[in-house]
């Protein structure tokens, strides 16, 4: 895996910077301001995306702010330029979902992922702009999805891994009715400057406990655990080198104004004296496919690629994570050429160690 692929597997689109919630751990810098994506930006992106989708499976992920804050009429106008082969996904806090939104999702064949951190008491940091708990509104949105028979994924943030939490979360999401679950241990990113260093044994135990809960009743696709098990199986089969792509997926994020940030959506909206606004171009001036073809020439991107090579030469977990994420390096270390971060430890290294720890503890005795 060297360099950046010219064609991504998906594109992230920011229909608005506005979010109606004010979560304590959010990284977004402009979530109190409603800056909406003009339709010409979507048209410019679609000009590159539609041929990619015609050639094979391709997704557009709508991610704000809170994407639904753009409103159904504007959202529909942004969707219109994309061809029927494009798969659409939306990451939402669910507080705005009602019957009309469910009908909209069904009409446009949009796959929904809901951000919720578990039972009511686990959502204390997910609050409205007035500081009121958002949980009841989130749950009302989930009930609407279920009422309309719409499948949905869930994404939970874990701020403090501890004993019993993984089982509690897994059981909650079984009852919630999602079919896919992602777990993010809180990251120090963007405007969220809270530390994310945790006791290593506690994080390993959290992941091991999550594996145990999932194995007991594997009705949910558990993103992190299934990827870890797939990697472990490939190592045993001697095929681990085949798991990572030959080149890094650029994961382009198209901001509300058409600017394109590669590799890390979390960098959108930020500037730095050394790196400028982190963008590799703007789709209103240059086609997206041309921007991606030259993305490696963006100064911070070339620095990040140097960091990936440093990880390759120094980290035994490189085959599992592929060199980490650019935003984590920048926001934790202030540069892109570093190697191991707290995010690496929490969500890559200790994840894999926790999965293997569970396997060792539950292996069958030798005959």
């Amino acid at each position: 895996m060297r360099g950046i692929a010219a064609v991504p597997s998906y594109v992230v689109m920011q229909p608005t910077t506005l979010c109606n919630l004010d979560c304590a751990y959010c990284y977004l810098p402009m979530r109190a301001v409603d800056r909406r994506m003009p339709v010409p930006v979507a048209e410019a992106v679609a000009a590159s995306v539609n041929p990619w989708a015609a050639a094979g499976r391709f997704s557009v992920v709508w991610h704000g702010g809170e994407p639904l804050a753009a409103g159904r009429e504007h959202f529909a106008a942004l969707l219109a330029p994309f061809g029927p082969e494009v798969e659409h996904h939306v990451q939402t806090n669910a507080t705005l979902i009602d019957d009309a939104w469910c009908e909209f999702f069904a009409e446009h064949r949009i796959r929904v992922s809901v951000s919720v951190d578990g039972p009511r008491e686990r959502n204390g940091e997910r609050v409205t702009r007035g500081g009121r708990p958002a949980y009841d509104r989130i749950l009302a949105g989930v009930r609407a999805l279920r009422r309309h028979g719409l499948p949905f994924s869930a994404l939970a943030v874990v701020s403090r891994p501890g004993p019993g939490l993984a089982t509690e979360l897994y059981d909650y999401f079984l009852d919630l009715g999602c079919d896919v679950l992602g777990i993010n241990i809180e990251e120090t990113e963007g405007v969220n400057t809270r530390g994310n260093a945790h006791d290593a044994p506690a994080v390993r135990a959290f992941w091991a406990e999550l594996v145990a809960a999932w194995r007991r009743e594997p009705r949910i696709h558990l993103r992190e655990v299934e990827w870890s098990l797939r990697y472990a199986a490939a190592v045993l089969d001697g095929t681990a080198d085949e798991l990572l792509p030959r080149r890094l997926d650029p994961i382009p994020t198209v901001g509300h104004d058409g600017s394109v940030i590669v590799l890390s959506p979390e960098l959108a909206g930020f500037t730095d004296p050394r790196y400028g606004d982190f963008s590799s171009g703007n789709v209103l001036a240059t086609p997206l496919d041309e921007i991606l073809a030259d993305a490696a020439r963006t100064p911070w991107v070339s620095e990040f690629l140097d960091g990936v090579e440093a990880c390759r030469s120094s980290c035994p977990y490189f085959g599992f994570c592929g060199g980490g994420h650019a935003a984590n390096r920048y926001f934790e270390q202030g540069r892109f050429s570093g190697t191991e971060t707290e995010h690496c430890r929490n969500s890559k290294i200790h994840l894999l160690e926790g999965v293997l720890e569970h396997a060792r503890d539950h292996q069958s005795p030798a005959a």
Side-chain angles (χ1 to χ4, degrees):
M1 189 181 72
R2 299 180 189 275
I4 298 178
V7 178
S9 59
Y10 63 97
V11 170
V12 180
M13 300 276 282
Q14 187 182 49
T16 177
T17 58
L18 179 67
C19 187
N20 60 322
L21 297 189
D22 193 20
C23 302
Y25 49 67
C26 184
Y27 63 85
L28 293 166
M30 296 184 292
R31 61 184 188 269
V33 181
D34 187 8
R35 297 181 181 175
R36 297 191 184 187
M37 176 178 284
V39 172
V41 170
E43 292 171 341
V45 174
S48 292
V49 163
N50 288 340
W52 292 336
R57 185 175 181 181
F58 196 91
S59 299
V60 171
V61 179
W62 299 90
H63 193 303
E66 166 51 49
L68 307 192
R72 283 186 296 278
E73 182 177 352
H74 188 63
F75 206 159
L78 295 176
L79 290 168
F82 293 93
E85 298 91 352
V86 177
E87 297 180 10
H88 292 280
H89 301 249
V90 63
Q91 185 66 46
T92 174
N93 61 40
T95 60
L96 300 176
I97 295 178
D98 56 13
D99 291 335
W101 269 113
C102 289
E103 292 166 4
F104 183 92
F105 298 146
E107 177 186 355
H108 295 280
R109 295 179 295 120
I110 298 174
R111 170 77 192 200
V112 179
S113 178
V114 173
S115 298
V116 58
D117 298 337
R120 181 185 303 276
E121 60 272 16
R122 300 292 180 186
N123 284 267
E125 295 184 305
R126 300 185 62 76
V127 297
T128 67
R129 299 222 146 264
R132 299 179 63 83
Y135 183 74
D136 287 339
R137 294 173 61 186
I138 295 170
L139 211 57
V142 170
R143 290 191 184 113
L145 292 171
R146 296 184 64 170
R147 192 163 59 246
H148 285 260
L150 295 175
F152 64 96
S153 305
L155 183 63
V157 173
V158 171
S159 297
R160 290 168 291 279
L165 175 57
T167 300
E168 176 189 334
L169 289 178
Y170 189 75
D171 289 345
Y172 171 84
F173 285 105
L174 278 176
D175 291 340
L176 191 70
C178 63
D179 54 10
V180 179
L181 173 62
I183 300 288
N184 287 351
I185 294 183
E186 182 180 339
E187 303 169 43
T188 301
E189 276 186 329
V191 298
N192 178 27
T193 59
R194 304 194 311 189
N196 62 335
H198 299 289
D199 179 61
V203 180
R204 283 195 293 269
F206 170 82
W207 292 118
E209 181 186 322
L210 188 62
V211 179
W214 174 75
R215 289 191 64 193
R216 185 185 72 243
E217 196 170 356
R219 286 194 286 114
I220 297 176
H221 286 292
L222 197 50
R223 185 184 65 183
E224 288 77 15
V225 167
E226 292 187 27
W227 166 244
S228 303
L229 293 173
R230 193 156 59 245
Y231 174 76
V235 170
L236 293 174
D237 292 340
T239 59
D241 288 345
E242 300 173 12
L243 285 179
L244 292 177
R246 295 301 93 189
R247 293 179 178 272
L248 283 169
D249 191 326
I251 318 175
T253 294
V254 182
H256 70 282
D257 60 354
S259 60
V260 178
I261 308 291
V262 297
L263 299 172
S264 283
E266 299 84 0
L267 293 170
F270 290 92
T271 59
D272 182 277
R274 296 161 293 171
Y275 308 114
D277 64 0
F278 300 102
S279 72
S280 294
N282 190 298
V283 295
L284 294 177
T286 308
L288 180 59
D289 53 352
E290 293 183 21
I291 291 174
L292 297 184
D294 289 335
R297 297 181 183 178
T298 305
W300 75 261
V301 174
S302 60
E303 182 183 321
F304 171 71
L305 294 177
D306 290 341
V308 170
E309 293 307 308
C311 284
R312 187 196 306 275
S313 63
S314 64
C315 182
Y317 296 89
F318 181 83
F320 177 58
C321 80
H325 301 292
N328 295 115
R329 294 186 190 182
Y330 174 74
F331 289 114
E332 286 192 32
Q333 302 173 345
R335 58 195 177 98
F336 292 98
S337 56
T339 52
E340 189 175 306
T341 63
E342 293 293 348
H343 173 70
C344 289
R345 288 185 274 273
N346 292 332
S347 300
K348 303 295 182 181
I349 296 173
H350 299 327
L351 163 61
L352 188 56
E353 290 172 342
V355 170
L356 297 177
E357 181 178 292
H358 170 84
R360 282 193 301 269
D361 292 345
H362 293 80
Q363 63 184 347
S364 300

